[in-house]
């Protein structure tokens, strides 16, 4: 666990994103670190694939401590991948 430096300037703007993940905990910290510092990403909605066996919550909790506003969507496993198919068709 770590804290943001006290002297970090607040940017005049920030970014939001929606992320769909499945068992990506191994790369999630690096992805968050890059986008939090370079964009700056301050709002993130994470949709967890219903077939995922890992939980991103512990990683996202660490970023919430330094100001990243996160929402996790736990998708309904009974819908399987159909939910993503419907989403793609709407675009």
């Amino acid at each position: 666990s770590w804290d943001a430096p006290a002297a970090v300037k607040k940017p005049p703007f920030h970014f939001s994103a929606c992320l769909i993940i499945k068992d990506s905990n191994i790369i999630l910290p690096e992805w968050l670190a890059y986008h939090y510092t370079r964009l700056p990403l301050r709002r993130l909605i994470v949709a967890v694939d219903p077939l995922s066996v890992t939980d991103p919550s512990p990683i996202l909790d660490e970023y919430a401590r330094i100001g990243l506003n996160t929402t996790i969507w736990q998708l309904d496993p009974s819908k399987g991948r159909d939910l993503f198919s419907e989403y793609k068709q709407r675009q």
Side-chain angles (χ1 to χ4, degrees), residues 45-83:
I45 298 171
V46 178
V48 180
D49 186 296
L51 302 177
S52 183
V53 295
T54 60
D55 180 12
S57 297
I59 297 166
L60 296 171
D61 290 345
E62 288 297 314
Y63 278 85
R65 288 183 57 237
I66 61 168
L68 182 62
N69 181 347
T70 61
T71 300
I72 299 176
W73 291 349
Q74 296 291 344
L75 302 175
D76 184 355
S78 67
K79 294 187 178 186
R81 296 200 179 276
D82 291 340
L83 181 65

Side-chain angles (χ1 to χ4, degrees), residues 4-21:
V8 173
K9 292 181 181 179
K10 187 173 181 175
F13 57 88
H14 64 271
F15 287 85
S16 299
C18 184
L19 179 66
I20 300 173
I21 63 172

